[in-house]
Amino acid sequence: MKKILFSMLLSAALLGGTAVTVQAQQQGIAMPAASPLSTLTQEIGLSNVAVSYSRPSKKGRSVYGGDIVPFGKVWRTGANNSTTLKFSDEVTIQGKKVPAGEYALLTIPAQNEWTIILYKDTKLGGNVAQYKQENDQLRFTVKPQTNPRTVETFTINFANLKANSADLEILWDKTIASFTIEAEVDSKVMAQIQERVVNGKEVSPALYAAAASYYAENNKDMKQALEWMKKANANDPKFWNLHAQAKIQAKMKDYKGAVKTAEQSIELAKKASNDDYVRMNEKAIAEWKKMK
């Protein structure tokens, strides 16, 4: 009898029957999940965002407004358990602050507009009939886009990474819905610079260089950035720090000084057999000489 049951379950599972797969798993048979679990973590600024979701596939079906996801109704945004987003720190979405913590990602797809919901109850799963709007942490709308290629398996990923933000993309079939997650960076970095560089008693060249680079890249006090980078290069100059110093000088329109510093960087880069920095410096020098 057990052999007959095993044979029936295995044959049906190979035909792709989801219910049969579940039943087989209950009988203790290890089989591939119809909607495999996926987890990913993305660093955004100095914070981490973790996603956990299950991934159904089209399998010849129409997706939105068709066989799988009806328009105008709350969707778990995936399969099986709730799709969750976990923020290690407070983030900003659509101009609204979202406290650190874990939330279910619910959506209400429509043809021309999606409603995105961060939901406080992460155990709702597919039981969306129990959804209560008062449990929303955040609700907003986005315009879906048409994907030029068909995505067979439901996918969530991160794109357009910047120093303090990233776009979370929801992709399936020919539809993309996305929104931007922003993390606070500047105040955290500036607090560290104040503590370890401005108020620091024994500041290493690496700390001076890091603080100078942050100031330069974010268009803060360029005189202070140059002073710190010169301190970084004072006793044991590194070709990468000299290159950074040259770029700061160029930003301050001291092209003559920038060329001189870049030439020093080339000498050290050649000794270290670092052709990349040699090329970068040579290209920069050629541009700066036109500006003199």
Side-chain angles (χ1 to χ4, degrees), residues 85-157:
L85 295 179
K86 188 173 183 179
F87 306 115
S88 64
D89 299 277
E90 179 184 81
V91 298
T92 300
I93 301 175
Q94 297 289 102
K96 303 292 185 180
K97 300 291 186 183
V98 178
E102 188 172 23
Y103 305 91
L105 175 63
L106 304 178
T107 52
I108 304 176
Q111 191 165 7
N112 298 314
E113 183 177 79
W114 279 40
T115 299
I116 309 292
I117 302 165
L118 296 188
Y119 197 65
K120 296 175 185 178
D121 181 4
T122 62
K123 305 301 182 183
L124 193 62
N127 192 20
V128 292
Q130 300 300 315
Y131 164 76
K132 297 178 182 179
Q133 191 167 341
E134 59 262 32
N135 289 331
D136 290 359
Q137 176 65 47
L138 180 64
R139 168 187 278 246
F140 57 94
T141 59
V142 299
K143 297 293 182 183
Q145 298 175 319
T146 300
N147 195 338
R149 69 182 184 89
T150 300
V151 176
E152 167 67 20
T153 303
F154 177 71
T155 300
I156 295 176
N157 67 16

Side-chain angles (χ1 to χ4, degrees), residues 133-199:
Q133 191 167 341
E134 59 262 32
N135 289 331
D136 290 359
Q137 176 65 47
L138 180 64
R139 168 187 278 246
F140 57 94
T141 59
V142 299
K143 297 293 182 183
Q145 298 175 319
T146 300
N147 195 338
R149 69 182 184 89
T150 300
V151 176
E152 167 67 20
T153 303
F154 177 71
T155 300
I156 295 176
N157 67 16
F158 291 93
N160 303 318
L161 290 169
K162 299 179 181 177
N164 67 335
S165 68
D167 293 343
L168 184 143
E169 294 185 330
I170 301 168
L171 306 98
W172 202 10
D173 198 10
K174 288 187 174 293
T175 299
I176 303 173
S178 67
F179 58 91
T180 302
I181 300 172
E182 298 177 278
E184 175 56 33
V185 171
D186 189 65
S187 63
K188 294 179 180 180
V189 175
M190 291 298 288
Q192 293 178 77
I193 291 174
Q194 183 68 34
E195 178 185 357
R196 303 188 65 185
V197 179
V198 177
N199 298 332

